[in-house]
Amino acid sequence: MTVGDLDLDACSREPIHRPGSIQPHGMLLAVSGSDSGATLIQASANAAPALSLPLEQALGQPLEQALHPQLCGAVRSFLAAGPVPSRPVPVAVTELPDAGRHQLLAHAIRDAAGNDVVILELERLDGLETGLIDHVYPRMREALERLDALNAPADLLSCAAQEVRALTGFDRVLIYRFDADWHGTVVAEDGNGRLPSYMDLRFPASDIPTQARELYRLNRQRLIPDAGYAPVPLVAMPRLPAGAPPLDLSFSVLRSVSPVHVQYMRNMETASSMSVSILLHGALWGLVSCHHREPKAVSYAVRSACDLIAQILSVRIAAVEDRRDAEHRIALQSIQARLLAAMAQTDPFIAGLTEHPDDLLRFANASGAAVVFERRCTLVGDAPTEEQVRGLVDWLATQGEPEQFETDSLPALYPAAAAFEGKATGLLAIAVSKLHASYVLWFRPEVVRTVRWGGDPRKPLDREGQRLSPRASFETWKETVRHRALPWTAAERDTAAALRHAVIGIVLRKAEELAALSRELARSNKELESFSYSVSHDLRAPFRHIVGYAELLQELESDQLSATGKRYLDVIVDAANSAGTLVDNLLHFSQMGRSELAPVSVDMNALVAEVRETLAPDTAGRDIAWDIAPLPTVRGDPVMMRLVLQNLLSNAIKYSRGREPARIAVGCEDRPTETLFFVRDNGVGFNQAYEKKLFGVFQRLHRNEEFEGIGIGLANVRRAVDRHGGRTWADGRLDKGAIFYFTLPKAGAAKPDLRDLP
């Protein structure tokens, strides 16, 4: 965004850790080299009281020549004591001629060239309480005792604000907490009424840019005694490399601040400020922010005491939040254990998630949920419709099928969610299969709330010449926040991930079981092949011998046989032929399950015509009214499709025997994912209660004396259709005819779930 030609992101890119200047309530010296050969390489322009030579002459000189003798002795002793820490530490309190008492602080940095540099800072102490034992310690002891007696976070924060104000004397002390978007809210306040109250007000993330928040994390203390100060530049020795960046003053106590921040303070009517960072587990949680109407300095000792209060506050808040988080996680893990136990006892296992809907909702503190596994979608609680959930799952697949996805503002990412944001503005989803688009989804509704801002956060920055200026008003500004749900907690996200891993483990275990079953089936198939060969060789040949010798006996010895003996031989021949046919059909049935499909385009109209021609001997002399509807071309194995139609049409011809006329119809119905075919007759029909027996091997509903057959034709039909991914079923009524159905999936369509059978 820009205002005219000004980039409003300029604040976030400003190198505030290298300002090239300091605040004027102290002096800064930069020393390079070892203890014995240390030289002065930079100094603030106001450093003359600390030097024994004029500034320009002192730069580049050894410490003994450059520094005031009293100061030089303290610095030499400090450098000789060992490595210099990277955070400022007090070295000494020194009296400088015509400049008064100063607190000497030191820390080490690396310059842009990688050289070790020691930063010496002299902070003016005139008029400040400096006795740690006499002034700070008694107050600190009381503060710690008060904090130790409290447990509630609100009480801890309020107490900390009071104690910091008592130690420092500032007009107002705020405790400011950051949210996930880095907006800050005032959660505690103590003041004397000289400055307005900001309690419960929110301030936008842009007030404290990213690099400023990082500085607050690294350097926990910052003091601006006078917002009206004129920055004091740093002066470098002439022989330093041209274009070298200014010194890194990230940990400096005197570091100058951005002009925009100074203007921000003036707009808030605060002449001085101090901040102390609150860190939780190393991350910036909030700030203790102090303000005063007039310029006000605070000693390093008092600032350190405030820093200690902030650290103790951090520990106490962390303990409270960690305990709550642990309790929350334990509760969620208990629910997870119940869900997994239910899954272990349910078939299919995924249905166990929805057997206890209250647990599934409490698991993510959600108002609604959905389980989408393979083709099935189960809704729980106040969830969107199945169609909306399927659309959402399809959208998730376009996001790269993330293993876990969460948002508290789904409509902003998925515009179609605006239609159901009253049920699903917040979404937490986990993928529970690597093979199919399968998810467990939890939903939270939109929560409309009012936020009180400290000034209008949307107001564009004004132009002051060529410099950006922050907003001038901090009057309470209310905003109604919509299209947001309650955010998902870290515990909810982590436990959802754990549930996902557990479910994936079950899926993989099921896959391993299926693989083991597949290996067992392969072994059984090999045994079946051996059995088939045995049947073919050992059974068919004896049956042929029986038939052959019986026929020879009839031919050669018929004169010697009685009529009864001849009848017995006829029965033997018929039985042996039937047994041979039965063996042939069994072999064909077993081979159909193992043979490879050879799918091609099959013209079902032509195939029906061919089958009718083949069955013409069975229809000779019969009065049959055929009704053959136009049939489509499908993709399938032509041999198996011929077998299907031949069995169905043969049955229709056989079981309509005795009807005058017999009526046989063949038709189809086009469906989105499959094509349905049917064969209907007006024959003897069957009792619908026995429909499931029809497609089993050797399952017959009529006696052999009524209708010939061995009960394997429809079993062959079902196996052939199953091999194509289709379904078979039948409808019938006694003496009212029957209709047999089978389906073939269209190209690219998933195989229908067998549980969807009519």
mmCIF file of all heavy atoms in Angstrom, residues 670-711:
data_model
loop_
_atom_site.group_PDB
_atom_site.id
_atom_site.type_symbol
_atom_site.label_atom_id
_atom_site.label_comp_id
_atom_site.label_asym_id
_atom_site.label_seq_id
_atom_site.Cartn_x
_atom_site.Cartn_y
_atom_site.Cartn_z
ATOM 1 N N ASP A 670 -29.390 -45.463 -18.582
ATOM 2 C CA ASP A 670 -28.122 -44.734 -18.460
ATOM 3 C C ASP A 670 -28.078 -44.002 -17.128
ATOM 4 O O ASP A 670 -28.996 -43.248 -16.800
ATOM 5 C CB ASP A 670 -27.974 -43.740 -19.615
ATOM 6 C CG ASP A 670 -26.626 -43.051 -19.596
ATOM 7 O OD1 ASP A 670 -25.602 -43.749 -19.482
ATOM 8 O OD2 ASP A 670 -26.597 -41.803 -19.684
ATOM 9 N N ARG A 671 -27.019 -44.237 -16.352
ATOM 10 C CA ARG A 671 -26.831 -43.582 -15.061
ATOM 11 C C ARG A 671 -25.521 -42.793 -15.074
ATOM 12 O O ARG A 671 -24.671 -43.039 -15.947
ATOM 13 C CB ARG A 671 -26.832 -44.619 -13.941
ATOM 14 C CG ARG A 671 -28.189 -45.306 -13.755
ATOM 15 C CD ARG A 671 -28.163 -46.305 -12.617
ATOM 16 N NE ARG A 671 -29.500 -46.820 -12.319
ATOM 17 C CZ ARG A 671 -29.753 -47.677 -11.332
ATOM 18 N NH1 ARG A 671 -28.748 -48.125 -10.570
ATOM 19 N NH2 ARG A 671 -30.986 -48.085 -11.103
ATOM 20 N N PRO A 672 -25.321 -41.869 -14.110
ATOM 21 C CA PRO A 672 -24.116 -41.016 -14.148
ATOM 22 C C PRO A 672 -22.806 -41.801 -14.165
ATOM 23 O O PRO A 672 -21.874 -41.437 -14.886
ATOM 24 C CB PRO A 672 -24.247 -40.164 -12.879
ATOM 25 C CG PRO A 672 -25.715 -40.119 -12.612
ATOM 26 C CD PRO A 672 -26.248 -41.450 -13.044
ATOM 27 N N THR A 673 -22.719 -42.868 -13.372
ATOM 28 C CA THR A 673 -21.434 -43.565 -13.256
ATOM 29 C C THR A 673 -21.480 -44.991 -13.789
ATOM 30 O O THR A 673 -20.460 -45.682 -13.785
ATOM 31 C CB THR A 673 -20.980 -43.613 -11.788
ATOM 32 O OG1 THR A 673 -21.956 -44.311 -11.007
ATOM 33 C CG2 THR A 673 -20.786 -42.212 -11.239
ATOM 34 N N GLU A 674 -22.666 -45.453 -14.247
ATOM 35 C CA GLU A 674 -22.777 -46.838 -14.686
ATOM 36 C C GLU A 674 -23.937 -46.972 -15.665
ATOM 37 O O GLU A 674 -24.780 -46.079 -15.793
ATOM 38 C CB GLU A 674 -22.996 -47.763 -13.479
ATOM 39 C CG GLU A 674 -24.280 -47.460 -12.713
ATOM 40 C CD GLU A 674 -24.425 -48.265 -11.428
ATOM 41 O OE1 GLU A 674 -23.499 -49.012 -11.082
ATOM 42 O OE2 GLU A 674 -25.483 -48.141 -10.788
ATOM 43 N N THR A 675 -23.940 -48.103 -16.368
ATOM 44 C CA THR A 675 -25.053 -48.433 -17.264
ATOM 45 C C THR A 675 -25.751 -49.670 -16.713
ATOM 46 O O THR A 675 -25.098 -50.672 -16.405
ATOM 47 C CB THR A 675 -24.550 -48.717 -18.681
ATOM 48 O OG1 THR A 675 -23.808 -47.589 -19.154
ATOM 49 C CG2 THR A 675 -25.721 -48.973 -19.621
ATOM 50 N N LEU A 676 -27.080 -49.606 -16.563
ATOM 51 C CA LEU A 676 -27.858 -50.713 -16.019
ATOM 52 C C LEU A 676 -28.551 -51.445 -17.166
ATOM 53 O O LEU A 676 -29.178 -50.823 -18.028
ATOM 54 C CB LEU A 676 -28.881 -50.192 -15.020
ATOM 55 C CG LEU A 676 -29.798 -51.246 -14.381
ATOM 56 C CD1 LEU A 676 -30.064 -50.891 -12.933
ATOM 57 C CD2 LEU A 676 -31.136 -51.359 -15.128
ATOM 58 N N PHE A 677 -28.434 -52.792 -17.160
ATOM 59 C CA PHE A 677 -29.119 -53.646 -18.131
ATOM 60 C C PHE A 677 -30.107 -54.543 -17.380
ATOM 61 O O PHE A 677 -29.883 -54.869 -16.205
ATOM 62 C CB PHE A 677 -28.122 -54.528 -18.889
ATOM 63 C CG PHE A 677 -27.158 -53.747 -19.750
ATOM 64 C CD1 PHE A 677 -25.940 -53.310 -19.235
ATOM 65 C CD2 PHE A 677 -27.467 -53.455 -21.064
ATOM 66 C CE1 PHE A 677 -25.055 -52.600 -20.012
ATOM 67 C CE2 PHE A 677 -26.580 -52.743 -21.866
ATOM 68 C CZ PHE A 677 -25.368 -52.304 -21.326
ATOM 69 N N PHE A 678 -31.176 -54.961 -18.091
ATOM 70 C CA PHE A 678 -32.115 -55.879 -17.455
ATOM 71 C C PHE A 678 -32.677 -56.847 -18.496
ATOM 72 O O PHE A 678 -32.747 -56.537 -19.697
ATOM 73 C CB PHE A 678 -33.262 -55.141 -16.757
ATOM 74 C CG PHE A 678 -34.151 -54.353 -17.675
ATOM 75 C CD1 PHE A 678 -35.228 -54.961 -18.343
ATOM 76 C CD2 PHE A 678 -33.919 -52.999 -17.886
ATOM 77 C CE1 PHE A 678 -36.046 -54.235 -19.180
ATOM 78 C CE2 PHE A 678 -34.735 -52.276 -18.736
ATOM 79 C CZ PHE A 678 -35.801 -52.884 -19.391
ATOM 80 N N VAL A 679 -33.051 -58.037 -18.012
ATOM 81 C CA VAL A 679 -33.752 -59.046 -18.825
ATOM 82 C C VAL A 679 -35.015 -59.426 -18.049
ATOM 83 O O VAL A 679 -34.929 -59.882 -16.906
ATOM 84 C CB VAL A 679 -32.867 -60.287 -19.069
ATOM 85 C CG1 VAL A 679 -33.678 -61.355 -19.807
ATOM 86 C CG2 VAL A 679 -31.621 -59.915 -19.854
ATOM 87 N N ARG A 680 -36.184 -59.222 -18.679
ATOM 88 C CA ARG A 680 -37.459 -59.432 -17.998
ATOM 89 C C ARG A 680 -38.258 -60.507 -18.744
ATOM 90 O O ARG A 680 -38.238 -60.573 -19.979
ATOM 91 C CB ARG A 680 -38.249 -58.126 -17.961
ATOM 92 C CG ARG A 680 -39.582 -58.239 -17.197
ATOM 93 C CD ARG A 680 -40.279 -56.883 -17.088
ATOM 94 N NE ARG A 680 -40.591 -56.313 -18.386
ATOM 95 C CZ ARG A 680 -40.125 -55.139 -18.829
ATOM 96 N NH1 ARG A 680 -39.326 -54.418 -18.056
ATOM 97 N NH2 ARG A 680 -40.455 -54.686 -20.031
ATOM 98 N N ASP A 681 -38.931 -61.358 -17.969
ATOM 99 C CA ASP A 681 -39.800 -62.375 -18.586
ATOM 100 C C ASP A 681 -41.100 -62.463 -17.801
ATOM 101 O O ASP A 681 -41.211 -61.937 -16.698
ATOM 102 C CB ASP A 681 -39.096 -63.736 -18.633
ATOM 103 C CG ASP A 681 -38.827 -64.298 -17.253
ATOM 104 O OD1 ASP A 681 -39.801 -64.666 -16.551
ATOM 105 O OD2 ASP A 681 -37.634 -64.372 -16.847
ATOM 106 N N ASN A 682 -42.075 -63.149 -18.385
ATOM 107 C CA ASN A 682 -43.378 -63.340 -17.723
ATOM 108 C C ASN A 682 -43.551 -64.789 -17.307
ATOM 109 O O ASN A 682 -44.661 -65.323 -17.311
ATOM 110 C CB ASN A 682 -44.519 -62.899 -18.637
ATOM 111 C CG ASN A 682 -44.608 -63.765 -19.900
ATOM 112 O OD1 ASN A 682 -43.628 -64.407 -20.273
ATOM 113 N ND2 ASN A 682 -45.765 -63.777 -20.557
ATOM 114 N N GLY A 683 -42.435 -65.413 -16.895
ATOM 115 C CA GLY A 683 -42.449 -66.824 -16.561
ATOM 116 C C GLY A 683 -42.939 -67.107 -15.159
ATOM 117 O O GLY A 683 -43.722 -66.334 -14.569
ATOM 118 N N VAL A 684 -42.429 -68.199 -14.593
ATOM 119 C CA VAL A 684 -42.942 -68.679 -13.308
ATOM 120 C C VAL A 684 -42.489 -67.807 -12.144
ATOM 121 O O VAL A 684 -43.059 -67.883 -11.048
ATOM 122 C CB VAL A 684 -42.490 -70.130 -13.067
ATOM 123 C CG1 VAL A 684 -43.087 -71.050 -14.108
ATOM 124 C CG2 VAL A 684 -40.966 -70.240 -13.047
ATOM 125 N N GLY A 685 -41.451 -66.976 -12.332
ATOM 126 C CA GLY A 685 -40.995 -66.086 -11.265
ATOM 127 C C GLY A 685 -40.392 -66.833 -10.098
ATOM 128 O O GLY A 685 -40.045 -68.018 -10.189
ATOM 129 N N PHE A 686 -40.283 -66.149 -8.953
ATOM 130 C CA PHE A 686 -39.725 -66.776 -7.747
ATOM 131 C C PHE A 686 -40.141 -65.955 -6.536
ATOM 132 O O PHE A 686 -40.593 -64.808 -6.653
ATOM 133 C CB PHE A 686 -38.198 -66.885 -7.825
ATOM 134 C CG PHE A 686 -37.486 -65.560 -7.946
ATOM 135 C CD1 PHE A 686 -37.122 -64.818 -6.818
ATOM 136 C CD2 PHE A 686 -37.181 -65.038 -9.199
ATOM 137 C CE1 PHE A 686 -36.473 -63.605 -6.932
ATOM 138 C CE2 PHE A 686 -36.533 -63.817 -9.322
ATOM 139 C CZ PHE A 686 -36.171 -63.097 -8.179
ATOM 140 N N ASN A 687 -39.976 -66.548 -5.374
ATOM 141 C CA ASN A 687 -40.265 -65.861 -4.112
ATOM 142 C C ASN A 687 -39.112 -64.912 -3.803
ATOM 143 O O ASN A 687 -37.967 -65.331 -3.663
ATOM 144 C CB ASN A 687 -40.431 -66.895 -2.990
ATOM 145 C CG ASN A 687 -40.919 -66.256 -1.700
ATOM 146 O OD1 ASN A 687 -40.686 -65.078 -1.452
ATOM 147 N ND2 ASN A 687 -41.609 -67.048 -0.874
ATOM 148 N N GLN A 688 -39.409 -63.607 -3.669
ATOM 149 C CA GLN A 688 -38.356 -62.601 -3.482
ATOM 150 C C GLN A 688 -37.541 -62.864 -2.216
ATOM 151 O O GLN A 688 -36.383 -62.452 -2.118
ATOM 152 C CB GLN A 688 -38.981 -61.193 -3.416
ATOM 153 C CG GLN A 688 -37.972 -60.050 -3.385
ATOM 154 C CD GLN A 688 -37.177 -59.930 -4.679
ATOM 155 O OE1 GLN A 688 -37.657 -60.324 -5.743
ATOM 156 N NE2 GLN A 688 -35.963 -59.417 -4.588
ATOM 157 N N ALA A 689 -38.098 -63.575 -1.267
ATOM 158 C CA ALA A 689 -37.371 -63.860 -0.030
ATOM 159 C C ALA A 689 -36.124 -64.697 -0.288
ATOM 160 O O ALA A 689 -35.190 -64.699 0.519
ATOM 161 C CB ALA A 689 -38.280 -64.574 0.969
ATOM 162 N N TYR A 690 -36.123 -65.430 -1.422
ATOM 163 C CA TYR A 690 -34.985 -66.302 -1.726
ATOM 164 C C TYR A 690 -34.064 -65.691 -2.789
ATOM 165 O O TYR A 690 -33.259 -66.399 -3.389
ATOM 166 C CB TYR A 690 -35.490 -67.668 -2.207
ATOM 167 C CG TYR A 690 -36.337 -68.386 -1.176
ATOM 168 C CD1 TYR A 690 -37.714 -68.504 -1.352
ATOM 169 C CD2 TYR A 690 -35.757 -68.935 -0.037
ATOM 170 C CE1 TYR A 690 -38.502 -69.151 -0.408
ATOM 171 C CE2 TYR A 690 -36.536 -69.582 0.902
ATOM 172 C CZ TYR A 690 -37.902 -69.682 0.722
ATOM 173 O OH TYR A 690 -38.660 -70.318 1.655
ATOM 174 N N GLU A 691 -34.181 -64.371 -3.006
ATOM 175 C CA GLU A 691 -33.417 -63.733 -4.089
ATOM 176 C C GLU A 691 -31.912 -63.919 -3.933
ATOM 177 O O GLU A 691 -31.185 -64.148 -4.902
ATOM 178 C CB GLU A 691 -33.762 -62.238 -4.141
ATOM 179 C CG GLU A 691 -33.110 -61.482 -5.299
ATOM 180 C CD GLU A 691 -31.832 -60.764 -4.892
ATOM 181 O OE1 GLU A 691 -31.612 -60.610 -3.665
ATOM 182 O OE2 GLU A 691 -31.064 -60.376 -5.791
ATOM 183 N N LYS A 692 -31.392 -63.853 -2.703
ATOM 184 C CA LYS A 692 -29.953 -63.934 -2.494
ATOM 185 C C LYS A 692 -29.405 -65.332 -2.790
ATOM 186 O O LYS A 692 -28.207 -65.502 -3.000
ATOM 187 C CB LYS A 692 -29.597 -63.505 -1.074
ATOM 188 C CG LYS A 692 -29.887 -62.036 -0.803
ATOM 189 C CD LYS A 692 -29.293 -61.576 0.510
ATOM 190 C CE LYS A 692 -29.584 -60.097 0.761
ATOM 191 N NZ LYS A 692 -29.009 -59.243 -0.292
ATOM 192 N N LYS A 693 -30.276 -66.376 -2.814
ATOM 193 C CA LYS A 693 -29.806 -67.724 -3.119
ATOM 194 C C LYS A 693 -29.608 -67.940 -4.619
ATOM 195 O O LYS A 693 -28.884 -68.844 -5.038
ATOM 196 C CB LYS A 693 -30.813 -68.763 -2.588
ATOM 197 C CG LYS A 693 -30.953 -68.798 -1.086
ATOM 198 C CD LYS A 693 -31.960 -69.840 -0.648
ATOM 199 C CE LYS A 693 -31.534 -71.242 -1.068
ATOM 200 N NZ LYS A 693 -32.493 -72.275 -0.614
ATOM 201 N N LEU A 694 -30.266 -67.076 -5.419
ATOM 202 C CA LEU A 694 -30.273 -67.302 -6.861
ATOM 203 C C LEU A 694 -28.877 -67.351 -7.468
ATOM 204 O O LEU A 694 -28.617 -68.129 -8.391
ATOM 205 C CB LEU A 694 -31.079 -66.201 -7.555
ATOM 206 C CG LEU A 694 -32.608 -66.303 -7.479
ATOM 207 C CD1 LEU A 694 -33.227 -65.065 -8.099
ATOM 208 C CD2 LEU A 694 -33.090 -67.551 -8.190
ATOM 209 N N PHE A 695 -27.972 -66.477 -6.964
ATOM 210 C CA PHE A 695 -26.673 -66.321 -7.616
ATOM 211 C C PHE A 695 -25.594 -67.198 -6.984
ATOM 212 O O PHE A 695 -24.412 -67.027 -7.270
ATOM 213 C CB PHE A 695 -26.247 -64.846 -7.579
ATOM 214 C CG PHE A 695 -27.156 -63.949 -8.372
ATOM 215 C CD1 PHE A 695 -28.213 -63.283 -7.760
ATOM 216 C CD2 PHE A 695 -26.968 -63.779 -9.735
ATOM 217 C CE1 PHE A 695 -29.051 -62.463 -8.486
ATOM 218 C CE2 PHE A 695 -27.806 -62.958 -10.471
ATOM 219 C CZ PHE A 695 -28.857 -62.298 -9.848
ATOM 220 N N GLY A 696 -25.975 -68.120 -6.108
ATOM 221 C CA GLY A 696 -25.019 -69.031 -5.514
ATOM 222 C C GLY A 696 -24.844 -70.291 -6.359
ATOM 223 O O GLY A 696 -25.718 -70.678 -7.139
ATOM 224 N N VAL A 697 -23.707 -70.953 -6.174
ATOM 225 C CA VAL A 697 -23.428 -72.180 -6.918
ATOM 226 C C VAL A 697 -24.351 -73.288 -6.417
ATOM 227 O O VAL A 697 -24.489 -73.500 -5.198
ATOM 228 C CB VAL A 697 -21.946 -72.579 -6.750
ATOM 229 C CG1 VAL A 697 -21.658 -73.871 -7.535
ATOM 230 C CG2 VAL A 697 -21.042 -71.455 -7.223
ATOM 231 N N PHE A 698 -24.983 -74.007 -7.362
ATOM 232 C CA PHE A 698 -25.886 -75.134 -7.092
ATOM 233 C C PHE A 698 -27.152 -74.712 -6.346
ATOM 234 O O PHE A 698 -27.828 -75.552 -5.746
ATOM 235 C CB PHE A 698 -25.190 -76.252 -6.293
ATOM 236 C CG PHE A 698 -23.945 -76.779 -6.940
ATOM 237 C CD1 PHE A 698 -22.821 -77.045 -6.192
ATOM 238 C CD2 PHE A 698 -23.904 -77.018 -8.307
ATOM 239 C CE1 PHE A 698 -21.667 -77.537 -6.788
ATOM 240 C CE2 PHE A 698 -22.753 -77.512 -8.907
ATOM 241 C CZ PHE A 698 -21.623 -77.769 -8.152
ATOM 242 N N GLN A 699 -27.456 -73.399 -6.355
ATOM 243 C CA GLN A 699 -28.668 -72.937 -5.675
ATOM 244 C C GLN A 699 -29.796 -72.860 -6.704
ATOM 245 O O GLN A 699 -29.757 -72.056 -7.629
ATOM 246 C CB GLN A 699 -28.436 -71.558 -5.029
ATOM 247 C CG GLN A 699 -27.370 -71.538 -3.955
ATOM 248 C CD GLN A 699 -27.778 -72.342 -2.743
ATOM 249 O OE1 GLN A 699 -28.947 -72.397 -2.372
ATOM 250 N NE2 GLN A 699 -26.804 -72.989 -2.117
ATOM 251 N N ARG A 700 -30.826 -73.704 -6.537
ATOM 252 C CA ARG A 700 -31.963 -73.710 -7.449
ATOM 253 C C ARG A 700 -33.255 -73.586 -6.651
ATOM 254 O O ARG A 700 -33.356 -74.098 -5.541
ATOM 255 C CB ARG A 700 -32.000 -75.002 -8.281
ATOM 256 C CG ARG A 700 -30.718 -75.255 -9.071
ATOM 257 C CD ARG A 700 -30.942 -76.323 -10.129
ATOM 258 N NE ARG A 700 -31.814 -75.817 -11.178
ATOM 259 C CZ ARG A 700 -32.815 -76.515 -11.722
ATOM 260 N NH1 ARG A 700 -33.085 -77.738 -11.281
ATOM 261 N NH2 ARG A 700 -33.556 -75.988 -12.672
ATOM 262 N N LEU A 701 -34.243 -72.899 -7.254
ATOM 263 C CA LEU A 701 -35.526 -72.714 -6.584
ATOM 264 C C LEU A 701 -36.618 -73.598 -7.190
ATOM 265 O O LEU A 701 -37.767 -73.536 -6.752
ATOM 266 C CB LEU A 701 -35.952 -71.238 -6.667
ATOM 267 C CG LEU A 701 -34.961 -70.221 -6.062
ATOM 268 C CD1 LEU A 701 -35.551 -68.820 -6.140
ATOM 269 C CD2 LEU A 701 -34.625 -70.576 -4.631
ATOM 270 N N HIS A 702 -36.259 -74.397 -8.185
ATOM 271 C CA HIS A 702 -37.243 -75.276 -8.820
ATOM 272 C C HIS A 702 -36.660 -76.682 -8.928
ATOM 273 O O HIS A 702 -35.449 -76.863 -9.082
ATOM 274 C CB HIS A 702 -37.620 -74.766 -10.222
ATOM 275 C CG HIS A 702 -38.216 -73.399 -10.207
ATOM 276 N ND1 HIS A 702 -37.451 -72.243 -10.288
ATOM 277 C CD2 HIS A 702 -39.515 -72.984 -10.116
ATOM 278 C CE1 HIS A 702 -38.242 -71.187 -10.259
ATOM 279 N NE2 HIS A 702 -39.506 -71.616 -10.152
ATOM 280 N N ARG A 703 -37.542 -77.665 -8.879
ATOM 281 C CA ARG A 703 -37.090 -79.056 -8.981
ATOM 282 C C ARG A 703 -36.620 -79.353 -10.403
ATOM 283 O O ARG A 703 -37.090 -78.755 -11.364
ATOM 284 C CB ARG A 703 -38.228 -79.999 -8.593
ATOM 285 C CG ARG A 703 -38.595 -79.928 -7.114
ATOM 286 C CD ARG A 703 -39.726 -80.890 -6.816
ATOM 287 N NE ARG A 703 -40.914 -80.571 -7.633
ATOM 288 C CZ ARG A 703 -41.949 -81.386 -7.769
ATOM 289 N NH1 ARG A 703 -41.954 -82.567 -7.177
ATOM 290 N NH2 ARG A 703 -42.967 -81.027 -8.517
ATOM 291 N N ASN A 704 -35.726 -80.357 -10.519
ATOM 292 C CA ASN A 704 -35.180 -80.733 -11.819
ATOM 293 C C ASN A 704 -36.270 -81.293 -12.726
ATOM 294 O O ASN A 704 -36.198 -81.197 -13.949
ATOM 295 C CB ASN A 704 -34.061 -81.762 -11.625
ATOM 296 C CG ASN A 704 -32.925 -81.539 -12.603
ATOM 297 O OD1 ASN A 704 -32.543 -80.407 -12.844
ATOM 298 N ND2 ASN A 704 -32.414 -82.621 -13.178
ATOM 299 N N GLU A 705 -37.305 -81.890 -12.103
ATOM 300 C CA GLU A 705 -38.391 -82.437 -12.903
ATOM 301 C C GLU A 705 -39.182 -81.327 -13.597
ATOM 302 O O GLU A 705 -39.802 -81.545 -14.651
ATOM 303 C CB GLU A 705 -39.344 -83.275 -12.035
ATOM 304 C CG GLU A 705 -38.733 -84.556 -11.510
ATOM 305 C CD GLU A 705 -37.862 -84.327 -10.285
ATOM 306 O OE1 GLU A 705 -37.757 -83.136 -9.852
ATOM 307 O OE2 GLU A 705 -37.273 -85.289 -9.779
ATOM 308 N N GLU A 706 -39.186 -80.110 -12.966
ATOM 309 C CA GLU A 706 -39.931 -78.991 -13.545
ATOM 310 C C GLU A 706 -39.102 -78.281 -14.615
ATOM 311 O O GLU A 706 -39.574 -78.038 -15.724
ATOM 312 C CB GLU A 706 -40.320 -77.988 -12.451
ATOM 313 C CG GLU A 706 -41.269 -78.543 -11.407
ATOM 314 C CD GLU A 706 -41.547 -77.533 -10.312
ATOM 315 O OE1 GLU A 706 -40.575 -76.987 -9.738
ATOM 316 O OE2 GLU A 706 -42.734 -77.287 -10.052
ATOM 317 N N PHE A 707 -37.878 -77.928 -14.233
ATOM 318 C CA PHE A 707 -36.988 -77.216 -15.151
ATOM 319 C C PHE A 707 -35.585 -77.783 -14.996
ATOM 320 O O PHE A 707 -35.040 -77.821 -13.885
ATOM 321 C CB PHE A 707 -36.974 -75.704 -14.848
ATOM 322 C CG PHE A 707 -38.310 -75.044 -15.033
ATOM 323 C CD1 PHE A 707 -39.134 -74.794 -13.943
ATOM 324 C CD2 PHE A 707 -38.750 -74.676 -16.302
ATOM 325 C CE1 PHE A 707 -40.360 -74.184 -14.102
ATOM 326 C CE2 PHE A 707 -39.982 -74.076 -16.470
ATOM 327 C CZ PHE A 707 -40.790 -73.819 -15.379
ATOM 328 N N GLU A 708 -35.013 -78.198 -16.111
ATOM 329 C CA GLU A 708 -33.689 -78.792 -16.081
ATOM 330 C C GLU A 708 -32.634 -77.744 -15.707
ATOM 331 O O GLU A 708 -32.837 -76.555 -15.870
ATOM 332 C CB GLU A 708 -33.363 -79.419 -17.447
ATOM 333 C CG GLU A 708 -33.156 -78.407 -18.577
ATOM 334 C CD GLU A 708 -34.462 -77.855 -19.142
ATOM 335 O OE1 GLU A 708 -35.559 -78.253 -18.664
ATOM 336 O OE2 GLU A 708 -34.396 -77.003 -20.045
ATOM 337 N N GLY A 709 -31.499 -78.208 -15.240
ATOM 338 C CA GLY A 709 -30.395 -77.306 -14.905
ATOM 339 C C GLY A 709 -29.619 -77.813 -13.711
ATOM 340 O O GLY A 709 -30.079 -78.724 -12.988
ATOM 341 N N ILE A 710 -28.435 -77.227 -13.502
ATOM 342 C CA ILE A 710 -27.584 -77.664 -12.385
ATOM 343 C C ILE A 710 -27.327 -76.542 -11.389
ATOM 344 O O ILE A 710 -26.627 -76.735 -10.403
ATOM 345 C CB ILE A 710 -26.242 -78.219 -12.901
ATOM 346 C CG1 ILE A 710 -25.515 -77.157 -13.727
ATOM 347 C CG2 ILE A 710 -26.456 -79.484 -13.720
ATOM 348 C CD1 ILE A 710 -24.119 -77.595 -14.148
ATOM 349 N N GLY A 711 -27.843 -75.322 -11.632
ATOM 350 C CA GLY A 711 -27.727 -74.243 -10.654
ATOM 351 C C GLY A 711 -26.389 -73.524 -10.634
ATOM 352 O O GLY A 711 -25.947 -73.098 -9.569
#
